[in-house]
Amino acid sequence: MNREVTLRLALPKIPDIELVAVEGLAHLGRHLGIADEQIGEAKIIVTEAIINAFEHTVGENPVVKVKFVMTKKELVIFVRDYGKGFEPESVEDPNIEDKIGSTRKRGWGLKLMKSLSDGFHIESGNWGTKITITKRLS
Amino acid sequence: MEQQFSLTSEIQDNCLVIATSGYVNNVGGEAIAEEFNRHFENGIKQVVVNLAGSKVVNSIGMSFLIEIIEKLNEVDGKLVFTNLDPTVEKMLTIMGIFKFAGKEATVENGVKSFARQT
């Protein structure tokens, strides 16, 4: 049996709201009998994706929508923001040698998401950004 | 859910040991940097950051750690991470942080690692 559970969240921009998504993810995992350690990397992916999404989001009541579709074998993460978008191809891969000595130490989100995932797709435009990430769990 | 960030610090063998608890985000990262700066001004050049109590961190929080590493590099000092959750360790590896900082299993080993260098 390959049971599938889905969780949809609409997150307001308030401090540490990404932890709500991380907790939701852990709850789904526990429901399917997946150990917390197995979804550790997914937690980082989700955290970085939501932080990135809010960085691109403007307006009075910004919302980031998140959807998790989880089976025992795989997790698919969808993150959608309604911000101004950006050109993913123009984002340079950060490296520590450049960051040391630079005034900008941030900018690791995309690299971490790509490195920790098994599938990564991003679409972005003036309508916002959609990220779809696949992570194998077994 | 991951608890709110807090930290403790102490000096062991001329080494600053900072132990964190909770989510290391921008607020947590800044708190670590402030604690470090307070001791750095007094000449501390050896730092252990014990992340045993922090299972969730983010890259913004870690960017403050990069600032600390940079300052220590400038004075031939060093930062050593200890008690890393495997996921956090993988994240720091991807960021390349261990090219400029150390890692040890325990605080005791972290403090001893400085003694080995001197």
Side-chain angles (χ1 to χ4, degrees):
Chain A
M1 189 176 76
N2 196 19
R3 205 160 143 225
E4 180 180 291
V5 286
T6 300
L7 175 65
R8 289 184 177 83
L9 299 165
L11 303 172
K13 188 175 186 177
I14 59 175
D16 296 347
I17 195 69
E18 61 275 14
L19 293 183
V20 172
V22 165
E23 182 57 29
L25 188 63
H27 195 81
L28 291 186
R30 286 194 292 272
H31 178 71
L32 291 174
I34 299 167
D36 256 11
E37 304 80 66
Q38 277 176 272
I39 58 166
E41 292 178 16
K43 286 181 181 177
I44 289 183
I45 294 169
V46 167
T47 303
E48 295 297 325
I50 294 171
I51 291 170
N52 258 26
F54 277 121
E55 286 207 338
H56 305 137
T57 304
V58 288
E60 272 185 35
N61 297 301
V63 167
V64 168
K65 290 188 176 172
V66 177
K67 184 168 96 170
F68 302 132
V69 180
M70 187 188 274
T71 66
K72 274 196 147 188
K73 291 184 176 170
E74 186 181 80
L75 168 69
V76 185
I77 302 160
F78 302 90
V79 178
R80 166 82 159 103
D81 72 58
Y82 299 87
K84 56 191 179 202
F86 67 105
E87 290 178 24
E89 315 79 49
S90 69
V91 178
E92 278 186 34
D93 213 21
N95 70 69
I96 192 74
E97 288 84 359
D98 293 339
K99 293 289 183 189
I100 298 268
S102 153
T103 52
R104 183 171 158 75
K105 305 280 190 273
R106 291 168 57 171
W108 296 93
L110 276 180
K111 179 173 182 150
L112 286 167
M113 284 185 265
K114 287 178 185 171
S115 301
L116 292 169
S117 64
D118 297 299
F120 182 87
H121 179 71
I122 186 165
E123 293 170 66
S124 191
N126 54 13
W127 44 267
T129 301
K130 278 185 197 178
I131 297 179
T132 306
I133 298 161
T134 308
K135 178 75 181 162
R136 280 195 297 273
L137 299 174
S138 61
Chain B
M1 199 148 90
E2 191 78 359
Q3 77 242 47
Q4 206 167 10
F5 181 83
S6 64
L7 65 77
T8 60
S9 74
E10 62 177 326
I11 303 292
Q12 285 185 31
D13 295 339
N14 205 31
C15 169
L16 171 64
V17 180
I18 297 174
T20 68
S21 183
Y23 183 30
V24 184
N25 56 3
N26 55 325
V27 176
E30 194 170 4
I32 296 170
E34 280 173 6
E35 186 64 15
F36 162 75
N37 285 332
R38 209 161 58 82
H39 293 274
F40 186 65
E41 284 162 10
N42 295 326
I44 284 285
K45 296 197 291 187
Q46 298 171 338
V47 180
V48 168
V49 176
N50 172 4
L51 291 178
S54 295
K55 307 295 180 201
V56 181
V57 307
N58 71 33
S59 61
I60 299 175
M62 288 302 110
S63 66
F64 285 92
L65 273 297
I66 296 175
E67 252 180 59
I68 296 173
I69 292 165
E70 181 180 290
K71 282 187 176 177
L72 288 169
N73 267 358
E74 288 167 3
V75 296
D76 288 326
K78 194 174 179 187
L79 183 148
V80 173
F81 290 95
T82 71
N83 303 79
L84 289 167
D85 179 87
T87 306
V88 175
E89 184 175 345
K90 185 160 183 181
M91 177 179 174
L92 299 185
T93 302
I94 292 167
M95 293 173 76
I97 283 180
F98 298 123
K99 292 178 187 171
F100 293 92
K103 62 178 166 180
E104 293 286 346
T106 64
V107 170
E108 192 185 355
N109 290 356
V111 173
K112 277 182 187 165
S113 72
F114 292 117
R116 285 198 297 270
Q117 286 169 11
T118 52

